[in-house]
Amino acid sequence: MSWRRWARPLALVLPAVLLPAAAAPGPAGPAVERPVVERPLAERPVVGRPFMERPVVERPFVERPFVERPFVERPVVERPFVGRPVVDTDRGRVRGLDHGTHRSFEGIPFAASPTGALRWRLPEPAPRWEGVRDAGAPGPRCVQLPAIGPGGPSGSEDCLYLNVTVPSAAPARGTAGRAVMVWFHGGGFVNGAGDLYRPERLAVRGDVAVVTVNYRLGVFGLFGHPELGGAPGFALADQRAALRWVRANADRFGGDPGNVTVFGESAGALSVCAHLASPASAGLFQRAVVQSGSCSTAMPPWSLLPTLGAYEPFVPERAAVSDGARAAARLGCEGPDRVLDCLRRLDARELATPELMQTFSKVPYGGSLLPVEPRRALEAGRFHRVPVMQGSTRDEMRIFLGATLAVYPMPDGAAYRARLERSFGARAARAVGAAYPLAAHPTPAVAWATLLSDASFTCPTLRDSGALARHVPTYAYRFSDRGAPNFTGLPQAPGLPYGASHGFELPYLFELAPLTPPQRALADRMIDYWTAFARTGDPRSPGSPPWPRFDPRRPRALSLAPGPSGTHPADTRTAHHCTLWDTHGTRPATRP
């Protein structure tokens, strides 16, 4: 696969985390039915105009035999367990694993398999099953591209499964249950899966229930077409279906369905932003954590490769619909009607090409489910009134730039200045170059990566935090451990240490890589912050370092690094640099 094909989505793709997974075995044994009781949730108001639910327009489907070819199976890695607990969900009983300190229930279907006639339809309820379904291994991952380098697609369309991890001890008496944290994975909307993230330490130390979720990716999750009546955003709809499952079932696992936190990183963070702005997500969560993917995240033009323009992760619905019509024609499915019937008969491999997966890797807005671009919704105050914690890493863009230096090198100051002019024009390049001088950085690549990190992540995060803080409690952080483990599999680029790069905070929340004792202490502190926020909407607890609520007039973020925490000393400089960037976060305010 060429660099041209995979570098564009790389800007928001979580690097690969190579962990094993396997499909859950089929059901077995008798079932005991139990009535489903849903606790009423207080509706969270959405500021803005009322919206009308617009139905997805679909033509009648002509049934044809559908054969899904299996993709390459992943090996099953057995984890030790001491028992097989059974929980009665609203669709049937599931048998998980008791690992001593925690219990896991994996591969639970939260919606019907979106295959055949259900491809490109909003998720439908999972069918009930008889007996006890084995929940000892994850379900299949959604069809996806490899996270790094060349290779064909993997996964299955039958992928709408989630995983639940809870402490083995019973919840505290006199409470409604543990806080529930629902994780949306990253991967640029073209790869990733919930089972890649092992949350047992987060669940046990934080005394919370953790749910990790699969959702449709690429052309299967973000496709648009005139016959669909637009671009419904199936990926977000899948996540919303998982949240409805949590509302119906959290108490059965010892969780509190009225205290749900959505959190995610990269594409998962963009998903959280979209739910904050989506009227359809009202009442499904009470807190939100946004990690390295604010509603305003963007990338300046030509920042990684000469072939790339400015990148923004949200696109107008009409653009996705036009792309869908062109894609259908190239696949031989065109005509005045029944195009979707033709497309649904295609094998998943014919659709899971790098071109199609990457074309449909941006979230459409302008429809009934996401009527307004999320950053505009935040600016206008049209979002759900829930506490928000959000932040970024100190060196976000280093790993992305490092992956492209081999084909687009930056050996000296002349190359740095040329890239500045190519991206911003001669006049603006002088202003940007003065703010990010070569003399202040060890190599041109480090200078360019610093510029990109501010423009693409740090400044958009500060901007969004200011918009949020005018209405809801908001807490900002910056992950700054430049010794964080590189768990991605990408080799070190010459002259560009990865430092605290994109996604490098994840091993501190999930079991992804070994940590040194000081890093383990930081991980404990971060887990305490994250889970305190999930319980109360405030990450602070007795004895923790001061973490003031975000103030737009004096923007500051808590520094997360081994050793003492504190308000980040460079925020004044960062805030000054952020005046360079316009509200899109992609070009300087002083245009050429």
Side-chain angles (χ1 to χ4, degrees):
M1 182 168 59
S2 70
W3 286 94
R4 180 190 299 267
R5 286 186 170 182
W6 68 264
R8 175 180 287 272
L10 184 64
L12 293 172
V13 173
L14 171 68
V17 184
L18 302 179
L19 298 178
V32 177
E33 290 295 330
R34 178 175 115 176
V36 178
V37 179
E38 284 194 9
R39 299 185 183 181
L41 289 175
E43 285 291 311
R44 301 288 173 174
V46 181
V47 176
R49 296 172 294 182
F51 69 97
M52 298 294 293
E53 187 72 30
R54 189 178 69 184
V56 177
V57 179
E58 297 187 323
R59 306 284 181 172
F61 179 77
V62 179
E63 281 294 343
R64 301 289 180 91
F66 181 83
V67 178
E68 179 150 342
R69 301 175 190 167
F71 288 96
V72 177
E73 291 292 333
R74 296 181 299 274
V76 178
V77 174
E78 296 290 343
R79 283 184 262 173
F81 62 92
V82 296
R84 300 301 306 270
V86 174
V87 171
D88 191 6
T89 75
D90 65 337
R91 313 310 292 174
R93 303 170 75 195
V94 294
R95 180 183 287 112
L97 300 177
D98 189 329
H99 305 273
T101 59
H102 67 282
R103 294 179 172 183
S104 62
F105 301 83
E106 299 179 303
I108 303 175
F110 64 85
S113 174
T115 57
L118 297 184
R119 181 188 284 172
W120 297 314
R121 295 184 190 270
L122 296 177
E124 297 187 359
R128 295 182 179 272
W129 58 83
E130 299 295 328
V132 181
R133 183 186 182 98
D134 191 285
R141 297 172 184 172
C142 292
V143 180
Q144 58 190 270
L145 298 178
I148 298 176
S154 62
S156 170
E157 287 191 86
D158 177 14
C159 65
L160 298 186
Y161 299 91
L162 54 76
N163 315 295
V164 181
T165 303
V166 295
S168 293
R173 302 182 71 177
T175 68
R178 294 183 170 93
V180 183
M181 302 184 71
V182 181
W183 174 254
F184 299 139
H185 67 79
F189 294 107
V190 295
N191 56 48
D195 69 278
L196 290 171
Y197 303 85
R198 292 176 51 193
E200 47 263 37
R201 185 175 177 84
L202 181 66
V204 174
R205 180 178 177 87
D207 194 31
V208 294
V210 184
V211 180
T212 62
V213 177
N214 290 354
Y215 55 90
R216 281 174 280 183
L217 301 168
V219 68
F220 303 95
L222 297 171
F223 183 69
H225 193 272
E227 282 192 28
L228 288 171
F234 303 105
L236 299 181
D238 294 344
Q239 296 169 0
R240 198 173 291 114
L243 291 172
R244 288 194 293 269
W245 184 95
V246 168
R247 183 172 61 181
N249 292 283
D251 58 342
R252 304 164 189 255
F253 295 85
D256 180 359
N259 188 4
V260 175
T261 296
V262 289
F263 70 132
E265 188 268 347
S266 195
L270 296 171
S271 300
V272 173
C273 287
H275 290 296
L276 281 169
S278 171
S281 299
L284 293 176
F285 59 96
Q286 288 70 46
R287 331 242 187 263
V289 180
V290 182
Q291 300 177 215
S292 296
S294 74
C295 294
S296 299
T297 291
M299 191 171 66
W302 303 293
S303 53
L304 298 178
L305 292 173
T307 55
L308 302 183
Y311 176 86
E312 294 190 61
F314 298 99
V315 296
E317 183 181 51
R318 62 180 180 275
V321 171
S322 297
D323 287 341
R326 285 191 292 270
R330 288 196 299 271
L331 289 166
C333 296
E334 54 185 332
D337 56 17
R338 307 188 74 82
V339 173
L340 288 180
D341 291 352
C342 174
L343 290 172
R344 286 183 175 125
R345 288 193 293 269
L346 297 178
D347 186 83
R349 293 176 184 271
E350 297 180 69
L351 297 168
T353 65
E355 180 183 4
L356 285 178
M357 293 292 282
Q358 292 162 12
T359 296
F360 299 99
S361 64
K362 299 180 181 182
V363 179
Y365 65 87
S368 59
L369 300 182
L370 188 60
V372 180
E373 185 182 6
R375 69 182 180 88
R376 298 296 189 192
L378 263 59
E379 291 168 1
R382 298 176 60 182
F383 59 89
H384 300 300
R385 296 294 193 256
V386 300
V388 177
M389 188 171 80
Q390 73 168 353
S392 57
T393 68
R394 184 173 183 175
D395 306 306
E396 289 278 4
M397 291 296 294
R398 287 193 184 187
I399 196 163
F400 301 128
L401 181 61
T404 63
L405 286 177
V407 293
Y408 191 28
M410 190 179 296
D412 50 32
Y416 176 70
R417 289 186 291 273
R419 197 175 296 202
L420 281 172
E421 293 189 7
R422 180 76 181 270
S423 296
F424 307 116
R427 187 171 60 183
R430 288 193 292 273
V432 177
Y436 299 90
L438 279 175
H441 302 88
T443 67
V446 170
W448 187 250
T450 303
L451 178 160
L452 293 183
S453 295
D454 279 358
S456 302
F457 288 93
T458 306
C459 294
T461 297
L462 290 174
R463 185 183 304 117
D464 285 357
S465 294
L468 290 160
R470 287 192 285 271
H471 303 278
V472 298
T474 304
Y475 299 89
Y477 72 85
R478 188 167 89 160
F479 178 80
S480 303
D481 183 8
R482 284 186 159 162
N486 175 11
F487 65 99
T488 66
L490 285 173
Q492 186 70 57
L496 185 63
Y498 286 149
S501 198
H502 185 71
F504 278 32
E505 86 280 16
L506 294 176
Y508 297 74
L509 299 175
F510 301 97
E511 296 292 334
L512 299 178
L515 301 176
T516 65
Q519 290 172 337
R520 180 60 72 180
L522 173 60
D524 290 346
R525 196 184 329 146
M526 290 174 60
I527 287 173
D528 293 345
Y529 284 137
W530 263 245
T531 55
F533 179 80
R535 282 190 294 271
T536 67
D538 187 334
R540 300 168 294 188
S541 57
S544 66
W547 188 348
R549 285 171 55 167
F550 191 86
D551 184 351
R553 297 165 299 181
R554 193 168 178 262
R556 291 184 177 274
L558 187 73
S559 175
L560 296 173
S565 290
T567 302
H568 197 276
D571 280 334
T572 302
R573 179 201 66 81
T574 299
H576 170 70
H577 283 193
C578 288
T579 60
L580 281 171
W581 313 107
D582 66 6
T583 55
H584 286 76
T586 56
R587 293 179 183 273
T590 54
R591 296 179 181 273

